[in-house]
Amino acid sequence: MVVLGASPKPVRYSYQAVEMLHGHGYRVIPVHPKASRIDHVPTVHSLAEIDEPVHTLTLYVGAERVKSMIGDIVALRPGRLIMNPGAESRDLGRALDDARIPYEHACTLVLLRTHQF
């Protein structure tokens, strides 16, 4: 599980997603440009550093910031992508459609809490 836009701040939903995914036993890869750990989980600084298959990428980056990452997201070829509230992007959606990568507009925290993840 990749959390793109993971934050080292415990009040952020992306931090809580890392914490909750890890607590549910998932292997989590937080992506943050500077932080070395989020909730005791080692980070990578870019998607290009990930060299293993990714089941799910959960997105916590807004539409403007994600524009420069679309190519890396598509190249990663996650099994699915979750656009959390505030991270919706038409440009990314079109690129994912073209690459036939499934995605959904949902909240990772809600999916986990309701056993729908």
Side-chain angles (χ1 to χ4, degrees):
M1 304 296 144
V2 171
V3 179
L4 180 57
S7 173
K9 298 175 184 175
V11 297
R12 299 286 187 136
Y13 292 128
S14 61
Y15 177 98
Q16 294 169 29
V18 171
E19 180 180 53
M20 193 176 288
L21 285 163
H22 189 251
H24 278 80
Y26 290 102
R27 181 179 170 338
V28 184
I29 303 171
V31 180
H32 187 279
K34 296 178 185 170
S36 61
R37 293 185 171 276
I38 294 176
D39 187 43
H40 309 291
V41 179
T43 65
V44 297
H45 301 296
S46 71
L47 292 173
E49 293 178 49
I50 300 170
D51 62 355
E52 61 188 76
V54 173
H55 178 275
T56 300
L57 185 152
T58 183
L59 182 66
Y60 287 94
V61 177
E64 283 305 310
R65 284 190 49 222
V66 83
K67 280 182 183 180
S68 66
M69 301 176 201
I70 291 173
D72 289 337
I73 292 169
V74 171
L76 189 63
R77 300 218 47 87
R80 73 169 171 166
L81 184 138
I82 299 170
M83 289 187 203
N84 287 276
E88 300 89 351
S89 166
R90 286 190 179 141
D91 292 335
L92 177 58
R94 281 192 287 274
L96 294 171
D97 285 339
D98 290 346
R100 298 183 184 213
I101 297 171
Y103 65 95
E104 59 188 296
H105 297 273
C107 175
T108 298
L109 299 175
V110 171
L111 292 173
L112 286 164
R113 287 184 180 127
T114 59
H115 309 287
Q116 298 178 62
F117 191 81

